[in-house]
Every structure is written in structure tokens, then in C-alpha cells.
Amino acid sequence: MAGGDDLKLLGAWASPFVTRVKLALNFKGLSFEDVEEDLSNKSELLLSSNPVHKKVPVLVHNGKPICESVIIVQYIDEAFAGIGPALLPSDPYERAIARFWAAYVDDKLVAPWVQSLRAKTEEEKSEGLKQTFAAVETLEGALRECSKGEGYFGGETVGLVDISLGSLLSWLNATEVISGTKIFDPVKTPLLAAWMERFSKLDAAKAALPEVDRVVEFAKKRQAQAAAAAAASETNVRA
């Protein structure tokens, strides 16, 4: 890292969006201070660094805060262009394509997948999973096209789309443990299944991705809290 640069990441270990930033920092070979936030009692630093959304992740670079995970990843690539591998292509068109698919991951994969996890009815869950699997099939085609026969969306090396999708892997594996739902099916989406295995074995990924068992425990605790809150609300309505 360039001399004098101070990097501080405000985050929460279970957040895949925080993991996304950790992946970018790791792949670039940058050292940083990992500040774990208590989201039930947010720090003044977090609130002042992200006064609009008051959410993690926030990267503080030499006292200046940058918010939103995909924006942070792109900032890291630009601010430290001479350090480590490039996370976005140099060609403007290829860079635009990478940004398109990174946005697609959040809009078309993450959103319905979260809907399926938080669904209150089987119909909502089914619709969320239907949209999730449709997005996964589209991403299978995107990987085929973007990789150009290499191992990653970025080609020979990991890029923005790999990091955007890779940040979800611990939660995708946890979902399979909890519900039995396999998002990246080796039969239906063999390229993504192979990509997942390849990405997970990278040292930078292993250092950033939270342990699946820990995510499973966290998810079950959150589900229990949500169920208890719903039951309490139902009781109050009846009363």
C-alpha cells in the first residue's frame, strides 16, 4: 500500500456487502483496519460517515468516507490503480459491461433471494426463488460470455463481477444447509458451480468469506427473532 494511506472499514462480519469490500481490499493486497460495528448501537463514526443511509459498509480512506459496496470496490480499484491486479478492465466498453453485471447481481439475484428468505407465505417464497433461479441462469450465460473461456467473469483474473457475486458465497452455502436449496446447481449451471469452487479456494477469498457454520448459526438466530417478533405482534393484534 502507498505510504501514508490509512484505510478503515466500518462493517459487520455477517454482511455480504461488507465481505464484498474485504474481498476487493484482499485481492488488491491492501492492509486495513477492520472495525466491527454493533448495528443495534451504531457508532458516531458510522453515523457521521454515512449520514444518509447510516449503513455498513463504509470505507474511510485518510479520513474521507466512501459508502455503498460496489462504489467502494470501484473506488479501491481507481485509488490504488498501481497496486495489485486491476478489478475493472481498462477498456471503457468492457468496464461498462462489468458494471452492468455487478448491478444485475444486486438487482436481479440478491433482491428476490432475500425476498425468498424473508417470505411470510409459501407463495412469496416460491416467487422469490423463481426469480432467483432465473437470474442464476442469466448469470451462467454472462459467465460464459465474459470469461472468454477463462476461469472468471474478469477473464484470467478476478474482477468486479466476481467480487460482487463472490461476496454472497457464504450465505448461498448457508441457505443450502438451512433449507436444502442449492442455488448454483452443477447440472443446471455447471459453469457457475465450477466458478464457485474455484473462487472459494483463492487465498484472498478464504480470508474474507465468513465461515458457513457461523453464518448458519447467525441466520437461524435471526429467523427465531423474527418469528418471536411476529408472534408477539399477532398476540397484540388479538388482544
Side-chain angles (χ1 to χ4, degrees), residues 2 6 23-24 32 46 68 94 99 124 128 135 137 159 172 187:
D6 177 59
L23 285 167
F32 63 97
L46 174 59
E68 301 293 320
E94 295 295 333
R99 286 171 172 153
E124 288 178 351
E137 287 186 20
L172 290 172
V187 176

Side-chain angles (χ1 to χ4, degrees), residues 163-199:
I163 288 173
S164 294
L165 190 58
S167 63
L168 310 175
L169 292 187
S170 293
W171 274 96
L172 290 172
N173 284 321
T175 299
E176 182 179 355
V177 172
I178 295 170
S179 66
T181 303
K182 196 174 189 68
I183 304 298
F184 292 167
D185 190 309
V187 176
K188 296 180 180 179
T189 53
L191 295 180
L192 279 174
W195 168 88
M196 182 177 181
E197 289 295 322
R198 191 180 305 115
F199 186 91

